[in-house]
């Protein structure tokens, strides 16, 4: 693990094709990313943005092609993955322990997403926007090299969007790779924007 | 190892805060209370058949937690997050089985003591019954996690779970009931061997089901 952390994170997809449920979702896709890159993945509904993120996360297997990811990966998608009946703090600490992050790093992640006020509240009482911020805080606390954010701006108010932008830019500046799947253009400078058309081909 | 213990602890906490602590006990006691109504207050008959009835109650109680073992974790993305962190599905299943042994086993043993008192089981049989159930517990936990993984997300999952569980528990029931005979030693050894085989295989079956269910 230490040797992986020491080397710079990198990500490469070569001629990747994915078939999900008898449908060709991604086809002949090639992406490379180096440390510090922010990639905006966009395209119409159902064009394969989430599939691409799940693929990079290793949750799906490619039908053909190759995916290589160097570095630890964190994913924030529509599933919160936080236990509903415990406090937000406690739920985040579970994953922080899994990732070897300390309690202070977890608190810093909560503060970065302006969630200290609800840290002692059970997760089931959080609002939509607070849930979204909580899942981003989980990514922040994970100290991962590669962030996969699926529609991270959904449900966020403008102040929270700015906090997220800030978190993304600072992680990229410290050598991380961030893949953002979003409909709205992010307000930050992105290294590349990857447009997927309806056949899952990079347009 | 620390993460593994954290996951097992989480399983136990989820089970006990989600009603898992009392539900099997109440179910078990309900069976023990209802049985004398059927057979009549014949003390000798109750003493002779009570152990077997408690065995059946234990097997059926295994079904109770099946719906909340895998499905909530799949829906909330916990299984994805674990897979993302390099956990193999077999290891996740093993942690769930270990958690289930504690979360389901401790209440079951407690309920057996109370239930056998209600039925009026001879004290000598209570020890055998407890030992037999303790031997079968890992297998019962393994089966419940495996069936939960297989049926997660299917409609009619609980009915299907019952259909799957019953044939798989028959060897446990045969040897388990066998331990209640005059000389329990042979049946106890066979029960232990069966339980070991089922416990050892279930993480692989459950792991394969978890993998197949990830879309």
């Amino acid at each position: 693990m230490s040797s992986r952390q020491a080397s710079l994170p990198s990500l490469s997809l070569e001629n990747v094709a994915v078939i999900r449920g008898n449908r060709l979702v991604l086809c002949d896709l090639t992406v490379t990313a180096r440390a510090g890159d922010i990639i905006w993945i966009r395209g119409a509904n159902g064009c394969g943005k989430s599939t691409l993120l799940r693929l990079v996360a290793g949750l799906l297997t490619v039908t053909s092609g190759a995916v290589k990811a160097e570095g630890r990966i964190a994913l924030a998608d529509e599933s919160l993955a936080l236990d509903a009946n415990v406090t937000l703090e406690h739920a985040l600490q579970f994953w922080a322990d899994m990732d070897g992050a300390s309690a202070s790093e977890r608190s810093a992640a909560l503060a970065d997403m302006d969630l200290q006020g609800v840290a002692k509240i059970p997760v089931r009482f959080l609002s939509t926007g607070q849930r979204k911020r909580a899942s981003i805080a989980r990514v922040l606390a994970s100290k991962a090299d590669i962030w996969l954010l699926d529609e991270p701006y959904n449900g966020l108010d403008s102040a929270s969007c700015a906090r997220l932008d800030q978190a993304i830019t600072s992680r990229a500046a410290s050598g991380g790779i961030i893949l953002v799947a979003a409909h709205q253009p992010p307000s930050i400078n992105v290294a590349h924007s990857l447009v997927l058309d309806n056949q899952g081909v990079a347009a | 190892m620390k993460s593994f213990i954290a996951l097992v602890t989480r399983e136990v906490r989820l089970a006990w805060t989600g009603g898992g602590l009392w539900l099997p006990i109440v179910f078990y006691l309900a069976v023990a209370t209802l049985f004398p109504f059927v057979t009549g207050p014949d003390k000798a008959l109750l003493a002779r058949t009570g152990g077997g009835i408690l065995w059946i109650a234990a097997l059926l109680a295994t079904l109770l937690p099946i719906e909340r073992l895998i499905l909530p974790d799949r829906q909330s993305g916990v299984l994805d997050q674990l897979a993302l962190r390099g956990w193999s599905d077999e290891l996740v299943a093993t942690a769930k089985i270990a958690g289930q042994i504690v979360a389901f086993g401790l209440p079951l043993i407690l309920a057996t003591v109370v239930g056998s008192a209600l039925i009026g089981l001879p004290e000598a049989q209570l020890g055998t019954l407890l030992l037999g159930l303790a031997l079968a517990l890992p297998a019962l936990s393994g089966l419940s996690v495996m069936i939960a993984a297989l049926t997660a997300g299917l409609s009619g999952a609980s009915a299907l779970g019952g259909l799957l569980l019953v044939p798989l528990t028959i060897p446990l029931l045969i040897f388990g009931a066998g331990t209640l005979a005059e000389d329990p030693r042979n049946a106890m050894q066979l029960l232990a061997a069966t339980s070991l085989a089922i416990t050892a295989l279930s993480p692989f079956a459950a792991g394969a089901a978890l993998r197949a269910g990830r879309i």
Side-chain angles (χ1 to χ4, degrees):
Chain A
M1 196 67 107
S2 55
S3 64
R4 278 176 82 188
Q5 278 172 338
S7 64
L8 284 173
S10 68
L11 177 66
S12 79
L13 283 77
E14 280 170 45
N15 304 87
V16 163
V18 175
I19 295 176
R20 270 179 105 178
N22 285 333
R23 195 172 75 91
L24 184 64
V25 184
L26 294 175
C27 179
D28 200 22
L29 184 71
T30 298
V31 182
T32 48
R34 289 191 316 268
D37 283 353
I38 303 171
I39 299 182
W40 172 30
I41 304 162
R42 57 203 176 107
N45 292 139
C47 68
K49 300 189 291 290
S50 300
T51 301
L52 177 58
L53 293 188
R54 286 180 71 79
L55 182 72
V56 174
L59 299 173
L60 294 174
T61 48
V62 289
T63 312
S64 75
V67 179
K68 270 188 229 121
E70 282 290 327
R72 285 176 51 218
I73 297 176
L75 168 74
D77 57 5
E78 80 276 21
S79 330
L80 189 57
L82 297 173
D83 291 335
N85 287 326
V86 297
T87 61
L88 175 59
E89 196 175 52
H90 195 115
L92 281 174
Q93 190 59 47
F94 174 77
W95 291 114
D97 288 340
M98 292 270 164
D99 293 323
S102 65
S104 61
E105 282 164 324
R106 184 256 301 150
S107 303
L110 275 172
D112 283 346
M113 281 293 120
D114 193 22
L115 286 165
Q116 309 100 310
V118 292
K120 307 267 186 226
I121 291 178
V123 173
R124 66 178 185 279
F125 293 122
L126 298 185
S127 73
T128 311
Q130 285 167 339
R131 278 162 194 271
K132 200 78 210 183
R133 273 147 61 199
S135 78
I136 296 161
R138 171 165 50 70
V139 170
L140 287 177
S142 72
K143 302 188 294 180
D145 307 300
I146 302 174
W147 288 5
L148 309 172
L149 307 175
D150 197 355
E151 301 288 358
Y153 295 95
N154 276 12
L156 294 191
D157 55 29
S158 52
S160 304
C161 286
R163 283 174 180 279
L164 174 58
D165 286 342
Q166 169 63 33
I168 290 176
T169 39
S170 68
R171 186 68 190 97
S174 60
I177 296 176
I178 295 105
L179 268 62
V180 185
H183 288 290
Q184 288 82 28
S187 47
I188 42 180
N189 283 328
V190 290
H192 319 284
S193 89
L194 177 69
V195 189
L196 298 173
D197 68 11
N198 277 333
Q199 271 72 48
V201 180
Chain B
M1 194 59 207
K2 217 177 122 199
S3 314
F4 184 81
I5 293 169
L7 194 58
V8 174
T9 317
R10 172 179 176 273
E11 282 299 313
V12 176
R13 175 173 52 74
L14 282 178
W16 286 357
T17 53
L21 185 56
W22 294 110
L23 201 60
I25 299 186
V26 172
F27 175 80
Y28 211 86
L29 293 185
V31 173
T33 329
L34 289 177
F35 184 55
F37 288 127
V38 182
T39 58
D42 180 350
K43 224 176 165 188
L45 180 69
L46 282 177
R48 206 168 62 243
T49 53
I53 292 302
L54 288 180
W55 262 100
I56 292 179
L59 298 189
L60 292 180
T62 311
L63 280 173
L64 293 174
I66 278 182
E67 281 202 339
R68 50 148 203 81
L69 278 180
I70 301 289
L71 188 62
D73 278 357
R74 169 166 297 155
Q75 284 172 338
S76 72
V78 169
L79 293 178
D80 284 347
Q81 292 291 335
L82 288 171
L84 179 69
R85 284 163 174 79
W87 284 69
S88 74
D89 294 299
E90 286 76 11
L91 195 59
V92 173
T94 309
K96 285 194 168 280
I97 292 168
Q100 191 61 9
I101 292 175
V102 180
F104 174 71
L106 289 182
L108 192 76
I109 296 292
L110 261 172
T112 308
V113 176
V114 184
S116 66
L118 281 177
I119 287 190
L121 210 64
E123 244 173 67
Q125 262 201 10
L126 176 62
T128 321
L129 181 65
L130 286 178
L131 181 60
L133 281 176
L135 282 177
L137 256 177
L140 291 179
S141 306
L143 286 175
S144 61
V145 170
M146 182 188 88
I147 291 171
L150 280 170
T151 58
L154 300 180
S155 56
S158 43
L160 197 57
L163 280 178
L164 282 168
L165 182 80
V166 167
L168 291 172
T169 51
I170 286 176
L172 291 170
L173 188 64
I174 291 175
F175 297 130
T179 60
L180 300 171
E182 297 259 307
D183 180 10
R185 273 176 302 179
N186 284 346
M188 203 62 95
Q189 285 170 352
L190 285 166
L191 177 66
T194 317
S195 177
L196 185 65
I198 294 177
T199 312
L201 289 176
S202 54
F204 296 100
L210 288 179
R211 210 172 4 264
R214 185 179 302 124
I215 47 163

